[in-house]
């Protein structure tokens, strides 16, 4: 039996529908409704789509299935060109992504061009008004080398208890350094060490109501 490719996602499937990372023992999206969670945490948590305007730049830690990207695509006006950059250490294969997205028929109308580009090995592509770039590799080295600055962040790594390296103080400092003044972040986690790291990175951090069974989530605004 061949060992799994350490640069790729290593998956189990829960109920034959939900991909679960063997590496981090954590599902890729909420078992209670991944698309609804994305809209609650990452879109509403960053006051989107209300803030969208031409040139707006969203960045993300943890690309996963691309569900957050597709939710953003559905929410973005066709005449509002924006940018989306995501960092992913362990990319899924196109057929795995397609299988996972079958759980969300609402995204099917906009998923086709993304799945086609991904299967072709493209990591920069256009998805309607959204210019997409996926940067593969460890964010702890890839983010410091990035020359962009985001207006909003989706912080969507695996659970901080299981994937602490994606939530450490050094990486959160880089998130802050790559955020415009007045830019925002949102994340499903309310872990104290994550909140403190984001405060140290220059954000005013607050708690909001979480999705589903989660009592709280975190959101914040970068000091000007």
């Amino acid at each position: 039996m061949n060992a799994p490719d350490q640069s790729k996602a290593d998956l189990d499937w829960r109920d034959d529908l939900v991909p679960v990372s063997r590496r981090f023992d954590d599902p890729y999206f909420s078992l209670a409704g991944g698309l609804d969670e994305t809209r609650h945490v990452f879109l509403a948590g960053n006051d989107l789509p209300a803030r969208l305007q031409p040139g707006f730049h969203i960045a993300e830690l943890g690309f996963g299935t691309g569900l957050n990207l597709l939710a953003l695509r559905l929410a973005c006006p066709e005449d509002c060109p924006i940018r989306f950059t995501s960092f992913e250490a362990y990319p899924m294969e196109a057929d795995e992504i397609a299988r996972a997205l079958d759980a969300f028929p609402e995204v099917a109308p906009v998923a086709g061009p993304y799945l086609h580009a991904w299967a072709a090995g493209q990591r920069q592509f256009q998805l309607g008004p959204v210019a997409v770039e996926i940067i593969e590799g460890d964010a702890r080295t890839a983010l410091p080398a990035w020359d962009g600055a985001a207006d909003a962040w989706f912080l969507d790594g695996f659970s901080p208890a299981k994937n602490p390296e994606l939530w450490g103080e050094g990486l959160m400092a880089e998130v802050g350094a790559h955020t415009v003044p007045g830019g925002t972040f949102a994340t499903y986690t309310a872990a104290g060490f994550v909140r403190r790291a984001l405060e140290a990175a220059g954000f005013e951090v607050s708690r909001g109501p979480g999705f589903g069974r989660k009592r709280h989530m975190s959101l914040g605004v970068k000091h000007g």
Side-chain angles (χ1 to χ4, degrees):
M1 186 177 203
N2 292 332
D5 184 342
Q6 292 302 309
S7 68
K8 299 293 183 183
D10 184 17
L11 305 178
D12 279 325
W13 292 86
R14 188 168 300 172
D15 299 328
D16 217 32
L17 290 172
V18 179
V20 179
S21 170
R22 290 192 184 111
R23 187 177 277 107
F24 300 109
D25 187 29
D26 209 22
Y28 275 77
F29 45 74
S30 169
L31 306 183
L35 186 55
D36 289 339
E37 181 176 45
T38 284
R39 287 170 167 157
H40 176 86
V41 174
F42 299 112
L43 297 187
N46 281 293
D47 194 22
L48 304 176
R51 291 171 60 210
L52 294 179
Q53 57 182 328
F56 196 88
H57 198 164
I58 294 161
E60 175 183 64
L61 293 183
F63 182 69
T65 64
L67 185 62
N68 296 342
L69 167 63
L70 295 174
L72 174 66
R73 166 69 181 92
L74 287 171
C76 185
E78 295 294 333
D79 60 351
C80 184
I82 63 171
R83 297 172 63 194
F84 179 89
T85 303
S86 186
F87 298 83
E88 174 58 57
Y90 305 107
M92 295 173 68
E93 300 290 352
D95 61 337
E96 296 170 333
I97 292 172
R99 178 179 173 182
L101 293 178
D102 279 345
F104 308 104
E106 191 176 344
V107 306
V110 297
Y114 153 51
L115 290 170
H116 179 78
W118 195 266
Q122 298 173 27
R123 298 299 179 258
Q124 294 187 46
F125 52 90
Q126 196 71 30
L127 192 62
V130 186
V132 180
E133 179 180 21
I134 312 303
I135 299 173
E136 294 185 359
D138 190 324
R140 291 173 293 180
T141 54
L143 180 52
W146 185 50
D147 62 2
D151 296 285
W153 276 93
F154 299 169
L155 301 181
D156 195 22
F158 289 111
S159 162
K162 298 177 179 181
N163 184 202
E165 55 269 27
L166 205 60
W167 303 93
E169 195 169 305
L171 188 54
M172 294 303 96
E174 290 294 337
V175 168
H178 290 84
T179 305
V180 302
T184 62
F185 80 85
T187 181
Y188 64 85
T189 184
F193 83 91
V194 174
R195 292 164 52 82
R196 290 189 292 274
L198 286 160
E199 287 171 348
F203 290 96
E204 182 177 338
V205 179
S206 58
R207 286 198 307 190
F211 177 80
R213 297 180 180 180
K214 295 176 181 173
R215 291 183 59 195
H216 299 116
M217 57 175 273
S218 301
L219 52 159
V221 180
K222 176 77 180 296
H223 297 300

